[in-house]
Amino acid sequence: MAWSSKPVEFACQRCLQPLVCNTLALTEYETAELTLPIISSTEEDITANAEDFDHFVPKFSLSNNDFMLISEDSTHGPKQQPVLSHSLKMRAQIFEALSNNSEIDHPLCEECTDSLLELMDKQLKDAEAEWNDYNHYLKRLEQTDEVPNLSKLEKELSDLKGEEERLIEELAALKKESDVLKTAIKQQETETDRLQAEEQKYWREYTKQRRDLMLADDEKKSLDCQIMYAQHHLEKLKKTNIFQTTFHIWQSGQFGTINGFRLGRLPAVPVEFNEINAAWGQTALLLASLAKKIGLKFSRYNLVPYGNHSYIEVLSDKESEKGKQLPLYGSGAFRFLWDTKFDAAMVAFLDCLQQFQAKVEEGNSGFHLPYKMDKGKIEDSGSSYSVKIQFNSEEQWTKAMKFLLTNLRWGLAWISSQMNEGNLPQGTTSAEVR
């Protein structure tokens, strides 16, 4: 086979790329050899491997002149129908012969030819492997002396067909069951969506209820703390003696004091009568409260606590003295000879204090007030001090007031001890204080 150097352009029947072919000179023997069938593959084999080709191009044929050559002088002068040379016709006949004798259209480019060769190599290997399997099976049959039992094989074939029909029926039943299950699954999915919506609603309500519960629990704990505080405060109040809290009797120098008010007067310390009157009001209130606590009702007199204008009512059988009021407050200078009501009120108060002393000292309690009192006077170590202002010095009267407050303080302490021991009811009401 001899090739010339004159190029002619063709198109690859697979990728449609232009091809440049050299001049080819063939002998009659070579031409006859090319017309022989080159492959024996059936159409089914090519179809089975058609997926290995990227494109499909209709079969190329030159018999009907349905091709166009690209002329080298197409840019000069009018276009003319090219004339086919002998070599071109020869190449066209060769490509047509190759296309007719195989299932592959020609011509092909180098890359497409390589792809085709790889495909054919793969088919060859598959055919060789299949031939080996058949050959191996044939040798096994030749080595086996046993003659196949046709009736047994036919029965087995019949059984397999029956099994196939049964499996087909079972498959149909399974398809129906699958359809039923799909419907049930769809219903269950709908039910699941509904349950999920209800679950979300439940969790929202649960969260709200949980929040309300936490708030209620916090409020309960707060109320418990308040109750505990109130109970603690109540126990503290129960243990607190209202008399000792309300009435504080002490001394300031030579003065006896009650709730800070001095009850007395000295030349060097001229206490105002407003303070003295306030002290007498606190003293009258204390004695009246203590008497009421132990159930003592005074005879001859009735204490009326009224602040710094407290007074004592006279309870007498005489019509002229009945309902008479003795003021426990003074107004003006010391030693007013005509102000006898104030002195009478203080003597009456001392009488009430004596009645209180007799009440708390009765029986075998062993309790006694520190200073003895009798007829408007208070005794201390053999000396007596009058509670009157007239015909008395300021020092003597101040001492008498101090001893009077001391007796009241002892009486207050005894009442408090009896209350703490449970012998007397603890506390008192506001009405009792008034």
Side-chain angles (χ1 to χ4, degrees):
M1 184 181 299
W3 299 87
S4 64
S5 61
K6 186 178 180 180
V8 178
E9 295 184 356
F10 288 88
C12 176
Q13 297 301 295
R14 180 167 180 253
C15 62
L16 299 180
Q17 296 296 323
L19 300 176
V20 178
C21 299
N22 294 327
T23 303
L24 179 65
L26 298 175
T27 62
E28 293 181 359
Y29 176 78
E30 292 174 343
T31 303
E33 186 177 359
L34 289 174
T35 58
L36 295 175
I38 60 175
I39 60 175
S40 59
S41 300
T42 61
E43 185 177 356
E44 289 76 6
D45 296 332
I46 297 300
T47 303
N49 295 279
E51 60 183 5
D52 295 328
F53 288 91
D54 298 330
H55 304 283
F56 173 75
V57 180
K59 188 175 180 180
F60 177 76
S61 176
L62 298 177
S63 60
N64 297 323
N65 296 329
D66 51 355
F67 60 89
M68 180 65 69
L69 294 178
I70 302 176
S71 175
E72 296 178 357
D73 299 330
S74 59
T75 58
H76 298 87
K79 295 182 179 180
Q80 299 178 355
Q81 183 70 23
V83 179
L84 299 178
S85 63
H86 177 73
S87 62
L88 179 60
K89 289 182 178 180
M90 178 64 69
R91 284 193 295 275
Q93 290 177 359
I94 291 173
F95 292 146
E96 187 173 1
L98 291 174
S99 300
N100 291 332
N101 292 334
S102 68
E103 296 297 332
I104 305 299
D105 294 336
H106 293 275
L108 296 175
C109 65
E110 185 176 357
E111 294 180 357
C112 295
T113 303
D114 293 339
S115 299
L116 179 61
L117 290 176
E118 291 179 0
L119 176 62
M120 294 178 69
D121 289 338
K122 182 177 181 301
Q123 291 179 351
L124 178 61
K125 291 179 181 179
D126 293 340
E128 288 178 352
E130 186 177 357
W131 181 84
N132 290 329
D133 292 338
Y134 281 118
N135 188 31
H136 179 68
Y137 185 70
L138 178 60
K139 288 180 179 181
R140 287 181 57 188
L141 291 178
E142 290 176 352
Q143 293 175 359
T144 303
D145 297 334
E146 182 180 356
V147 179
N149 191 348
L150 294 179
S151 60
K152 182 179 180 181
L153 293 176
E154 289 177 354
K155 183 178 182 303
E156 184 177 355
L157 178 60
S158 177
D159 294 339
L160 291 175
K161 287 183 178 180
E163 182 70 14
E164 181 184 9
E165 292 178 357
R166 186 186 65 79
L167 292 175
I168 290 174
E169 292 177 357
E170 185 176 352
L171 178 61
L174 290 176
K175 286 183 178 179
K176 292 181 180 179
E177 186 177 355
S178 176
D179 294 338
V180 173
L181 291 176
K182 287 180 180 179
T183 304
I185 290 173
K186 189 174 181 180
Q187 293 177 355
Q188 293 298 324
E189 288 177 351
T190 304
E191 182 69 13
T192 301
D193 295 338
R194 185 185 67 81
L195 291 177
Q196 289 178 350
E198 290 185 357
E199 182 182 10
Q200 293 178 357
K201 180 180 178 182
Y202 164 77
W203 281 115
R204 286 195 298 268
E205 294 180 355
Y206 172 79
T207 305
K208 181 178 178 299
Q209 295 296 329
R210 181 67 177 174
R211 176 177 174 274
D212 294 340
L213 178 61
M214 292 175 65
L215 292 176
D217 187 57
D218 291 341
E219 185 176 0
K220 178 180 178 297
K221 290 181 180 178
S222 176
L223 292 175
D224 290 341
C225 292
Q226 294 180 20
I227 291 173
M228 290 177 62
Y229 173 77
Q231 289 178 345
H232 177 72
H233 193 61
L234 178 61
E235 293 297 328
K236 184 177 180 181
L237 289 177
K238 287 181 178 180
K239 295 178 181 178
T240 302
N241 190 290
I242 190 171
F243 294 108
Q244 291 181 346
T245 304
T246 307
F247 303 100
H248 179 65
I249 299 175
W250 202 243
Q251 61 183 7
S252 177
Q254 299 181 24
F255 297 98
T257 62
I258 179 170
N259 291 338
F261 297 112
R262 291 172 293 183
L263 186 57
R265 184 182 177 94
L266 295 175
V269 186
V271 180
E272 296 291 335
F273 266 89
N274 288 333
E275 184 176 350
I276 294 172
N277 295 337
W280 269 117
Q282 294 292 314
T283 305
L285 178 61
L286 173 58
L287 182 57
S289 300
L290 292 176
K292 193 169 186 179
K293 190 66 180 177
I294 62 176
L296 172 62
K297 188 173 182 180
F298 298 113
S299 60
R300 297 183 296 276
Y301 302 104
N302 181 31
L303 288 176
V304 182
Y306 200 69
N308 55 1
H309 285 79
S310 301
Y311 59 92
I312 298 176
E313 289 182 348
V314 178
L315 304 175
S316 177
D317 295 336
K318 297 180 180 180
E319 195 66 28
S320 59
E321 295 181 358
K322 189 175 182 179
K324 184 179 179 180
Q325 294 183 359
L326 303 175
L328 272 174
Y329 55 89
S331 58
F334 204 72
R335 294 183 182 179
F336 275 7
L337 298 178
W338 57 87
D339 192 8
T340 59
K341 288 185 177 181
F342 186 29
D343 286 345
M346 289 188 287
V347 172
F349 183 85
L350 193 62
D351 182 78
C352 292
L353 185 57
Q354 284 181 264
Q355 296 180 45
F356 173 76
Q357 179 185 15
K359 180 69 174 178
V360 298
E361 291 180 357
E362 68 182 3
N364 297 322
S365 62
F367 174 75
H368 300 282
L369 296 181
Y371 301 105
K372 188 177 180 181
M373 299 172 290
D374 185 32
K375 297 180 180 180
K377 294 182 179 181
I378 301 178
E379 297 180 2
D380 177 35
S381 302
S383 301
S384 62
Y385 301 91
S386 176
V387 296
K388 295 182 180 181
I389 292 179
Q390 290 184 1
F391 310 109
N392 198 2
S393 65
E394 292 182 347
E395 292 84 356
Q396 295 289 324
W397 182 71
T398 300
K399 280 188 177 182
M401 295 298 101
K402 186 177 180 180
F403 297 154
L404 183 145
L405 288 177
T406 303
N407 280 346
L408 267 177
R409 182 182 176 186
W410 278 57
L412 175 61
W414 183 82
I415 295 294
S416 300
S417 64
Q418 295 299 309
M419 290 174 59
N420 292 334
E421 292 175 2
N423 298 328
L424 293 176
Q426 295 183 2
T428 185
T429 62
S430 59
E432 291 175 342
V433 174
R434 289 194 296 270

